[in-house]
Amino acid sequence: MIKSAKGKIFYLATDNSSYMILVREEGYPEHLHYGERLFGEDGISDRDLEDAADALAEKQLDPGGNMIQARSGSPLCLEKLCLEASSFGKGDIREPALHIRFDDGSDTCDLVFDSCETVEGKSMPEGMPGAVCEEGDGVEELRLFLKDRDSGVRVTLRYAVFPRSDVIVRSMRLDVPEDMKGGVTIERIMSTQLDFHRTGLVFSSFHGHWADEMHRFDTAVDAGKAVSEGLWAGVSGSRSNPFVMISESGATEDHGAVIGANLIYSGDHYEALSADGFDRSRFVSGIQPEGFSWRLEPGESFDTPEAVLCFSSAGFGGMSHMMHGFVRRHIVRGYWRDRQRPVLLNSWEANYFKFDAAKLIAQAKAAKKLGIELFVLDDGWFGERNSDASSLGDWHTNTRKLPEGLDGLSGRIRELDMKFGLWVEPEMVNRDSGLFREHPEWAVRIQGREHSEGRNQMILDLTRTEVQDFIIGEMSRVIKEASADYIKWDMNRIFSDRYSAALDPARQGEFGHRYCLGLYRVLSELAGRFPKVLFEGCASGGNRFDLGMLCFFPQIWASDDTDAMCRADIQRGYSYGYPMSVLGAHVSASPNHQTLNRTPVETRFDVAAFGCLGYEFDPSDLKPQDRARITADVEWYKEWREVFFGGDFYRLEGDSVMAVSRDRKRACALLLQRQNRPNRPFVQLKLRGLDPKLYYRYESRPADVSIRDFGSLVNTMSPVHIKDGGLIQGIAAGFYKLPSDTDKGRMRGSALCACGIRLLPNYAGTGYSDGTRVFRDRDARLIMFTAD
C-alpha cells in the first residue's frame, strides 16, 4: 500500500512494516521511518500522515559550529539529516548514494524533489534482472523524481512495495537531459540508502572463501564504518555475499528488530553501515564504487541493480522467512519455480576427467537402482579435455570418450527412464583451445602484459556482443544435441587484468558492469529458448550465489565442500537470506574429497536432504550396506521432498534445524553431533514453526548401529574374543545388527515449541542397552513430526 498527503508525505506499508518519507520545504526528501507499521488496517487519513510527519521530522534551528548550511539563509544542515538519497558536495560528508563528475571537473550535485507518481506493478532495470510480480500480488511502485538544482540532471528513486512478502525493492535511475551541455561521469551510484536515527546497530555480514562460504560475522557499529564488499573479483563472491542484516542490539532468532538487505546483482558489490557523531547511522548498498565509472552523454540514462529490503520485529528467523518467501515467489521464476527438483547423481567426484561411455552408463544403471532420477555428466566430455589445462571454449564432443556422441549417451540414459544433465563453463577459455587460437582478442587480458590465469583459464570478454552471440549459439547447440534436461553452469575463477580492447581507454571503468550486462543477456536468451531446462548455477561453489543469478538459475551449487559438518555450517549461513529450495546439496564419498574426514552415510544424507538433494560418488563401488541405506534414504526423501522443498526452514538451538510443511501438518528436524563427550547423555530438542493447536506424533528415523562402532568394547559381553577390525568382527557385523534408538511420542504443537522433547540418552561411557543412542562424532538423526 502506498498513500500520500499534500504530495509531499509518502507512506509505504507492507502487511507488517511501513516506510515513511517527507519532502521538506527546502526540497530534500527526508527519511522518517522504516520499521513496524505506524498505522493499522482501519484506514489512514491525510491527517494521520500529516501528524506523523510533523512529529517525526527533524527539527533544526541552527546548523551548529563547523557545519555547512544546505541553502543560504537556511539553518538546515544535511549532515545531521536522515535522507533518502544523499549526493556529493553540499555538506553531507557521510557516504553518498550518488557521486557524479561534470565535464568541467566539478562534482557537486544538489538533488531536490521535483515530482512523483505511483503506479501499479513495478518497473524493471534496463538490461538487468529484477523482482517480478503477478496480477493479484498487490505490488505498487512509488517514484520520486529529483533533479540537480543547477545542471538539471534527473534522478528517479523507485520503491516497489510487495505487501504480502513484507519487502520493499529500491533502485535508482539517473538521466542526463538531452539539452544539457556536456555529459557526466558516474563515480558512484548506490541502489539504496537507508538512514537511521540512532547508532549502535549491529551489522551482520557473511564471509568465507572457496569451499568455506557464508560464515556470519556481527559488528556493532557505534562509530566508524563496517563494510561487506565484493572487490575486484568481478563476481558477487564467496569472500563476501551481498546479503547482510542490520539489527538492534540483543536481537535473537525470535525477537527484536532486524532488517535484511540483498542486491539483485552478480558483480562487484558494496554494503556499508556507518555511524556519525550526531547519533545517526547510514546504510548503503549497490555496485562497488572502487574501480567503477560510467560515462553518460546527453539523452542517456543509467539504472542501478535493485536492492531488496525487509523488516521484521520477530528476530532473525522472522526476517529469514520473509526473505525466503520473497525469493521463492518474486526472484525464482519460470517452469521450475514451484516444481520439486529431481534427485541427481553428478559424475565429477566419481570420475574427474577419467571416464568413457561404458563407465558412465554403468554408473547410471547403478544410480537408477538407488532411485536416483537424473544423471549429470560433469567436466571432461568435450574437446581434448583430459585436464583443466585444455579445451574450454571447444564445445564439441570428445568422441574417443563418447563414440556415440552426447545424443547417443543421452539416449542410453533415457532408456533407463532417467533424465540427463550436462556440465558447461561457457564464460571461460583455455589458452590451449581452438577458440583461443582463432579469437585471442576475445580473452580478457591486457595486450603486451603477462596475464594472471586461474585454473589454467582466461575469461571471455562478455562486454563484446559477438562473444555473447557465440556463447548463446554454442550452448543452444549443445543443449539440443544432448536433449539436456539440466545444465550445470560453472565459472571457476575470479577476474584479473581487467581490460577490454573493445572499450575506449577512458571507459575501462565500465568493464565490470558491462560484463554483468552481457552475462545477463546470454542467460536471458538461453532461459527463453529452453524454459523447461533446469539450470543450476555454480562458480567454484558459492562464488556467485546471489539474487541476480537466481533470476535465471532456480538453484545454485552452494559450495564445493561436501563434508557434511562443513556443509551444515555453510547451509545455515545461506539460510539467513536464501531458502533451502535454491541450494544444491550432495551426498559425497567418505572420506570426503575436500577434508578427508569420514562421516556416516546417514549424516551425509541428513544434512543434504534440506537442500536440493544430489549424490556425488561412484554408485558402482558402494558396499552392500551403504547401497541398502541409500536406497532407503532416497525412497524416504521422495515421500518428504515437498516438506524440504516447499516448507518453511527454521534454525533451532545449536546446530539443529527443521523444515515445516506450509500447512504445518508435517515437519522434520535434524539433530547433529559435532563432538561426543563422555557422560553427557541428555538432549532436549525445542522446536519452532509447528501449529500450536495441532497434536503431533513424532518418531526418529532408525540409524544403522554396528558392533564395529564399539571396537574392542564388545569383548566385555562376547563369549569369544573379537579382534577390532578382524575377520570375526566383519562376519558378526554382517549377521548381527544392534537395535537403533527410536524416539517416539505424541505432543501438542504449543508444548513442542515452548519446551520441546527430551530424547533418549546418548551412550555416556557405560551402560549400553536397548534404546541408548549411539551418537558419536559426526552422527546425526532426523526426527519426523506428523499431525494427527
Side-chain angles (χ1 to χ4, degrees):
M1 177 185 68
I2 298 174
K3 288 187 66 68
S4 65
K6 296 184 175 180
K8 298 294 179 71
I9 304 170
F10 304 95
Y11 180 76
L12 292 64
T14 70
D15 287 354
N16 297 287
S17 66
S18 62
Y19 192 113
M20 197 165 180
I21 305 163
L22 167 68
V23 178
R24 296 180 66 96
E25 291 182 3
E26 299 88 349
Y28 299 105
E30 179 183 357
H31 177 73
L32 300 182
H33 170 76
Y34 182 42
E36 294 189 62
R37 278 191 70 137
L38 298 181
F39 307 103
E41 299 288 350
D42 54 347
I44 305 169
S45 67
D46 286 359
R47 178 64 182 273
D48 289 330
L49 297 182
E50 292 167 19
D51 289 346
D54 183 63
L56 295 174
E58 192 75 38
K59 284 76 176 176
Q60 293 190 16
L61 303 178
D62 184 86
N66 194 30
M67 307 299 294
I68 301 296
Q69 295 169 257
R71 305 297 296 169
S72 178
S74 167
L76 184 66
C77 172
L78 295 181
E79 186 182 350
K80 298 178 180 179
L81 194 64
C82 288
L83 294 165
E84 285 299 310
S86 176
S87 52
F88 186 83
K90 295 302 288 186
D92 184 358
I93 58 174
R94 298 166 292 180
E95 284 211 88
L98 180 68
H99 182 194
I100 58 177
R101 190 171 302 278
F102 296 93
D103 282 353
D104 64 1
S106 66
D107 57 358
T108 291
C109 182
D110 192 12
L111 292 178
V112 293
F113 179 78
D114 183 51
S115 61
C116 66
E117 68 177 3
T118 300
V119 298
E120 292 184 1
K122 66 176 289 290
S123 56
M124 295 289 282
E126 185 176 351
M128 287 178 286
V132 293
C133 59
E134 299 173 359
E135 188 175 349
D137 288 336
V139 175
E140 298 176 273
E141 184 173 86
L142 170 66
R143 298 168 185 168
L144 298 184
F145 300 107
L146 314 182
K147 65 178 181 180
D148 177 32
R149 290 183 193 267
D150 299 310
S151 70
V153 165
R154 297 179 65 85
V155 167
T156 305
L157 305 182
R158 297 184 287 214
Y159 306 76
V161 180
F162 290 75
R164 299 187 187 109
S165 299
D166 284 303
V167 160
I168 295 175
V169 174
R170 290 193 54 180
S171 62
M172 184 187 298
R173 178 184 176 92
L174 189 145
D175 290 275
V176 179
E178 290 186 358
D179 59 353
M180 184 172 140
K181 294 182 179 179
V184 301
T185 299
I186 303 173
E187 305 285 356
R188 172 193 184 102
I189 184 165
M190 295 288 105
S191 297
T192 189
Q193 172 184 315
L194 186 61
D195 285 359
F196 299 87
H197 298 82
R198 55 175 296 187
T199 57
L201 297 169
V202 178
F203 183 72
S204 300
S205 51
F206 296 83
H207 307 277
H209 47 79
W210 175 74
D212 193 24
E213 297 89 343
M214 289 302 288
H215 295 284
R216 174 181 161 181
F217 293 85
D218 298 338
T219 304
V221 185
D222 295 295
K225 179 168 65 175
V227 174
S228 177
E229 59 183 346
L231 180 62
W232 301 117
V235 288
S236 50
S238 56
R239 282 75 166 174
S240 299
N241 194 270
F243 171 75
V244 298
M245 304 182 294
I246 303 162
S247 59
E248 63 182 4
S249 178
T252 67
E253 190 69 14
D254 298 310
H255 304 285
V258 178
I259 291 172
N262 210 336
L263 201 62
I264 308 178
Y265 192 59
S266 307
D268 292 325
H269 58 92
Y270 180 82
E271 297 79 39
L273 178 68
S274 56
D276 64 21
F278 298 104
D279 298 321
R280 302 288 185 266
S281 297
R282 171 169 291 173
F283 171 72
V284 294
S285 174
I287 295 172
Q288 167 65 255
E290 186 74 26
F292 167 83
S293 64
W294 195 275
R295 177 68 183 175
L296 290 179
E297 301 296 342
E300 294 182 340
S301 60
F302 183 90
D303 280 334
T304 69
E306 291 182 343
V308 177
L309 300 173
C310 72
F311 168 85
S312 173
S313 59
F316 297 104
M319 180 278 303
S320 291
H321 292 143
M322 294 173 182
M323 277 291 188
H324 292 179
F326 178 79
V327 172
R328 282 172 160 164
R329 182 165 180 81
H330 302 292
I331 295 297
V332 179
R333 60 204 67 184
Y335 180 83
W336 286 100
R337 187 187 74 172
D338 301 319
R339 281 180 167 80
Q340 297 176 20
R341 312 292 159 71
V343 181
L344 66 83
L345 175 72
N346 184 285
S347 70
W348 178 242
E349 290 191 6
N351 305 315
Y352 294 96
F353 295 104
K354 297 180 180 180
F355 60 84
D356 57 26
K359 185 176 184 181
L360 297 174
I361 292 168
Q363 291 170 348
K365 288 179 178 179
K368 176 63 178 178
K369 292 178 181 178
L370 300 174
I372 289 171
E373 301 160 315
L374 165 65
F375 181 84
V376 179
L377 174 56
D378 209 278
D379 197 356
W381 59 266
F382 53 91
E384 300 297 326
R385 186 75 166 172
N386 297 309
S387 73
D388 62 18
S390 170
S391 299
L392 283 174
D394 299 343
W395 299 108
H396 51 268
T397 308
N398 184 326
T399 53
R400 284 193 293 275
K401 292 182 179 181
L402 306 176
E404 297 179 353
L406 280 178
D407 55 341
L409 177 64
S410 174
R412 297 289 297 275
I413 300 299
R414 291 180 191 285
E415 289 174 1
L416 302 173
D417 194 26
M418 297 180 74
K419 297 180 183 297
F420 180 69
L422 201 62
W423 177 96
V424 295
E425 193 174 4
E427 300 165 65
M428 299 293 158
V429 63
N430 286 120
R431 189 178 297 274
D432 181 12
S433 68
L435 179 63
F436 182 77
R437 286 185 283 271
E438 183 177 354
H439 289 289
E441 75 279 8
W442 283 6
V444 174
R445 57 181 185 149
I446 305 171
Q447 291 292 334
R449 300 186 188 181
E450 183 178 354
H451 181 73
S452 297
E453 295 185 5
R455 202 176 182 245
N456 299 305
Q457 62 198 48
M458 294 176 282
I459 301 172
L460 289 173
D461 185 358
L462 267 70
T463 71
R464 293 173 174 259
T465 303
E466 65 269 29
V467 174
Q468 301 166 26
D469 291 340
F470 169 80
I471 294 174
I472 293 168
E474 285 295 276
M475 290 302 104
S476 296
R477 179 185 57 78
V478 167
I479 292 170
K480 290 177 182 177
E481 179 183 339
S483 300
D485 302 290
Y486 164 102
I487 290 292
K488 182 178 180 181
W489 186 292
D490 213 340
M491 197 266 197
N492 276 310
R493 62 157 293 179
I494 60 173
F495 284 69
S496 65
D497 308 292
R498 298 180 5 160
Y499 187 85
S500 172
L503 292 176
D504 185 90
R507 305 192 78 143
Q508 293 298 322
E510 300 176 11
F511 172 82
H513 186 58
R514 286 192 181 276
Y515 184 95
C516 270
L517 296 179
L519 175 62
Y520 289 148
R521 177 185 170 241
V522 169
L523 298 181
S524 180
E525 183 68 27
L526 290 173
R529 291 185 183 187
F530 305 99
K532 292 187 178 181
V533 170
L534 174 58
F535 286 89
E536 178 167 344
C538 180
S540 297
N543 202 41
R544 196 163 59 186
F545 198 115
D546 58 69
L547 297 185
M549 299 309 288
L550 284 171
C551 291
F552 305 102
F553 299 157
Q555 61 193 59
I556 299 177
W557 180 234
S559 175
D560 281 348
D561 185 355
T562 55
D563 183 289
M565 294 315 220
C566 301
R567 261 308 185 105
D569 290 336
I570 292 167
Q571 291 175 193
R572 191 179 188 92
Y574 279 117
S575 76
Y576 283 95
Y578 303 92
M580 293 293 99
S581 58
V582 303
L583 185 149
H586 292 181
V587 178
S588 62
S590 180
N592 179 265
H593 287 204
Q594 291 77 52
T595 63
L596 301 182
N597 289 326
R598 293 186 178 273
T599 306
V601 67
E602 297 97 327
T603 301
R604 288 176 271 152
F605 168 78
D606 292 351
V607 171
F610 282 83
C612 298
L613 178 65
Y615 288 82
E616 192 156 348
F617 49 60
D618 189 342
S620 306
D621 293 341
L622 290 173
K623 299 175 183 177
Q625 63 267 28
D626 286 344
R627 186 179 299 114
R629 179 71 197 200
I630 292 170
T631 302
D633 286 344
V634 172
E635 182 180 2
W636 179 89
Y637 174 78
K638 291 176 182 178
E639 295 175 2
W640 284 80
R641 177 161 40 189
E642 180 53 35
V643 175
F644 292 113
F645 176 76
D648 295 322
F649 181 85
Y650 291 85
R651 296 176 293 270
L652 306 181
E653 294 178 1
D655 294 312
S656 297
V657 296
M658 69 182 295
V660 183
S661 64
R662 292 288 179 87
D663 61 9
R664 297 202 283 180
K665 291 183 178 180
R666 293 203 298 169
C668 187
L670 169 67
L671 186 68
L672 201 60
Q673 175 85 297
R674 290 190 179 274
Q675 184 183 45
N676 191 23
R677 304 288 296 277
N679 201 24
R680 294 190 179 182
F682 302 118
V683 176
Q684 183 163 331
L685 184 64
K686 186 177 178 182
L687 289 306
R688 289 188 170 105
L690 300 177
D691 189 322
K693 297 179 181 179
L694 294 180
Y695 287 87
Y696 294 87
R697 295 189 183 275
Y698 61 88
E699 181 175 0
S700 57
R701 280 199 80 207
D704 294 334
V705 183
S706 171
I707 64 170
R708 289 190 179 96
D709 298 334
F710 290 85
S712 61
L713 189 61
V714 298
N715 290 307
T716 62
M717 300 177 64
S718 174
V720 298
H721 182 77
I722 298 177
K723 180 181 178 181
D724 187 24
L727 177 62
I728 296 176
Q729 185 191 63
I731 295 173
F735 284 96
Y736 181 68
K737 300 293 184 184
L738 296 175
S740 171
D741 58 282
T742 303
D743 283 286
K744 300 176 70 172
R746 181 179 182 271
M747 200 171 185
R748 192 168 174 173
S750 57
L752 286 166
C753 293
C755 184
I757 50 177
R758 296 186 178 100
L759 303 176
L760 289 168
N762 298 338
Y763 175 73
T766 61
Y768 176 79
S769 61
D770 289 356
T772 300
R773 176 178 292 104
V774 177
F775 215 42
R776 306 154 300 174
D777 291 359
R778 308 178 76 83
D779 273 346
R781 294 289 189 277
L782 290 178
I783 304 176
M784 302 162 286
F785 298 81
T786 305
D788 286 347

